[in-house]
Amino acid sequence: MKTNLSLLSVLLCTLLFPNTLTAQDAESDSTIYPYVLPIWGQKAQDRGFGDQLQLPFGFNVNYVNAFIDMEITEFGLAIAGHDLSGVVNKETLNFTNVNATTNGLNYRADAWVLPFLDVYALFSAVTGGTDVSLQPTWTDATGETILQLPEFSSSVEFDALAYGIGTTFIFGWEGYFLSTDVNISRTDTELLKDQVGYLTLSARVGHRFFLNKNNRDLFVAPYFGMMYRNFVGSKGNNGTINMDEVFPDLQDTFDTTVDAKIQANDDEIAMLNSNPIQNAGEIAKLTAENAALNTIKTKVDDSGVFSTEIDYFIKKDLKQTVTFQFGFNLQLNKHWMVRGEYGVADSQRFLMTGLQYRFGVKKRGLQ
């Protein structure tokens, strides 16, 4: 009786739900593509490529380190509301070196919407620093140098957040693959009032090598390519920074220089005191100079000028926008992949390494 009831139940289920499969059924039937993405995943399965598709959803965590040489193409300066652009600008500051270094974590979530098209969103949290060297130089109308200060450098550290979207196209044939990638991102940093747009274009070509003939999920895919990166939509940025952040030793240098001058005057006064009557005029002059120096030092230190906010306008461009890229993807299994990449050019260096986890969401009825 129980056997007859069981057979009847199976028959009713077959009649009422003829297209319903269990997850176990789908896994045992190699003609069924079980996941909601990519679109046309079933077509790829029908053509025998289903086992070559990655799991459709992924999450990446990457460490990124970059060094970039830049040039200042426009610059303006105001201190305490006074515009100094007429005398302090790109030409007079004479920037000799400008570079930036950033490092931090990049997070990316992606999905294969078509077998050859991946879309993703990215978010980065980085720290970095900007090194600037300059030798202020002023010339007259004929171009003759009338004043040139010694070359000096300053470094400013910053934190930045970046977020963006991108897409990857990929084509494969007999183990070879070609991929192109484009993404655009925006960066927020406390140093700049406006966001900075960034465009990245890249193309890579490589080959897949299986590491275990009995396990086609384990393979390494080395590649090489080129990457283009540049600012987009930027007409320059306004920013505000304290003077002691740009020149952290300026107050100590000022105080040390004044103290050294006062000490030198005191030493000369001590020598002149061997004949105070004859040297009375010089002694009085040096004593008055020391009093003035002490007054200047006190007023300048108490004025807060060394922590004054500097308002500036700056436009930067990359010296070089293209790098050559070399890297690899090491797939451990369908879920885990390790990636490393290095990019190099005369004025840029780029290093990235990270870990990727992939998973699938099954179609309704295959849960």
Side-chain angles (χ1 to χ4, degrees):
M1 183 66 175
K2 289 183 179 179
T3 302
N4 291 335
L5 288 175
S6 299
L7 291 172
L8 180 60
S9 298
V10 172
L11 179 61
L12 288 173
C13 287
T14 303
L15 293 173
L16 293 174
F17 309 105
N19 296 321
T20 300
L21 294 174
T22 66
Q24 185 175 0
D25 294 331
E27 290 173 359
S28 63
D29 187 348
S30 60
T31 65
I32 301 298
Y33 185 76
Y35 303 113
V36 295
L37 287 178
I39 301 170
W40 300 342
Q42 185 60 55
K43 293 182 181 296
Q45 181 79 20
D46 294 341
R47 297 188 179 189
F49 301 121
D51 62 335
Q52 298 183 33
L53 299 179
Q54 285 189 333
L55 293 174
F57 299 98
F59 183 75
N60 300 255
V61 180
N62 301 306
Y63 169 77
V64 178
N65 181 284
F67 170 85
I68 303 173
D69 265 333
M70 295 178 289
E71 57 183 350
I72 306 297
T73 52
E74 293 182 41
F75 187 84
L77 184 70
I79 297 179
H82 299 288
D83 185 9
L84 304 178
S85 298
V87 292
V88 181
N89 50 53
K90 181 179 76 74
E91 287 74 22
T92 60
L93 288 177
N94 188 25
F95 294 97
T96 57
N97 179 59
V98 181
N99 65 68
T101 302
T102 61
N103 67 89
L105 293 179
N106 172 282
Y107 305 92
R108 194 178 85 168
D110 74 283
W112 287 98
V113 295
L114 294 170
F116 53 84
L117 175 64
D118 183 75
V119 296
Y120 59 87
L122 61 88
F123 173 79
S124 298
V126 302
T127 60
T130 299
D131 294 323
V132 179
S133 297
L134 59 159
Q135 188 172 19
T137 303
W138 286 265
T139 60
D140 59 20
T142 65
E144 187 74 21
T145 298
I146 58 177
L147 176 63
Q148 185 173 62
L149 301 183
E151 184 176 8
F152 65 95
S153 302
S154 70
S155 299
V156 178
E157 295 183 351
F158 61 86
D159 296 319
L161 298 176
Y163 48 90
I165 57 174
T167 185
T168 301
F169 296 87
I170 190 164
F171 171 79
W173 180 74
E174 293 191 356
Y176 292 93
F177 62 89
L178 170 66
S179 69
T180 60
D181 184 277
V182 56
N183 70 66
I184 188 166
S185 61
R186 307 289 291 181
T187 300
D188 284 320
T189 175
E190 294 180 353
L191 296 182
L192 299 175
K193 295 178 181 179
D194 304 315
Q195 294 181 333
V196 179
Y198 209 63
L199 174 69
T200 303
L201 301 171
S202 60
R204 300 170 178 84
V205 61
H207 188 269
R208 178 180 60 184
F209 297 92
F210 293 104
L211 301 179
N212 187 327
K213 63 180 180 180
N214 297 319
N215 180 6
R216 295 180 65 83
D217 290 337
L218 177 62
F219 62 81
V220 63
Y223 60 82
F224 68 93
M226 299 179 68
M227 179 183 291
Y228 168 87
R229 292 178 290 172
N230 206 354
F231 302 114
V232 291
S234 176
K235 298 180 180 179
N237 297 91
N238 295 293
T240 300
I241 193 170
N242 289 342
M243 187 176 289
D244 54 6
E245 291 183 70
V246 182
F247 308 112
D249 300 325
L250 185 57
Q251 183 170 4
D252 289 340
T253 301
F254 172 77
D255 290 343
T256 300
T257 302
V258 173
D259 290 341
K261 180 61 176 175
I262 292 173
Q263 184 61 51
N265 287 347
D266 285 340
D267 293 342
E268 189 171 350
I269 290 172
M271 294 176 60
L272 294 171
N273 276 331
S274 60
N275 192 343
I277 296 176
Q278 183 178 350
N279 299 322
E282 188 66 21
I283 292 173
K285 176 185 174 182
L286 292 173
T287 301
E289 184 176 308
N290 278 358
L293 287 171
N294 276 311
T295 299
I296 291 172
K297 177 184 175 183
T298 300
K299 287 186 175 181
V300 170
D301 285 345
D302 292 344
S303 69
V305 66
F306 296 110
S307 58
T308 298
E309 281 192 345
I310 300 175
D311 298 314
Y312 62 90
F313 170 83
I314 189 169
K315 187 174 186 300
K316 298 178 290 184
D317 290 301
L318 304 186
K319 281 189 176 181
Q320 199 168 16
T321 58
V322 176
T323 57
F324 293 95
Q325 306 295 121
F326 305 89
F328 70 91
N329 290 315
L330 173 61
Q331 180 172 294
L332 304 176
N333 52 50
K334 285 286 190 182
H335 293 284
W336 293 100
M337 179 180 289
V338 178
R339 182 181 181 185
E341 183 169 302
Y342 181 69
V344 63
D346 290 340
S347 301
Q348 284 198 48
R349 293 191 301 275
F350 174 84
L351 173 67
M352 180 183 71
T353 181
L355 183 66
Q356 177 184 121
Y357 175 74
R358 306 206 66 81
F359 61 95
V361 175
K362 293 188 176 180
K363 297 174 184 176
R364 183 176 298 179
L366 301 182
Q367 304 295 329

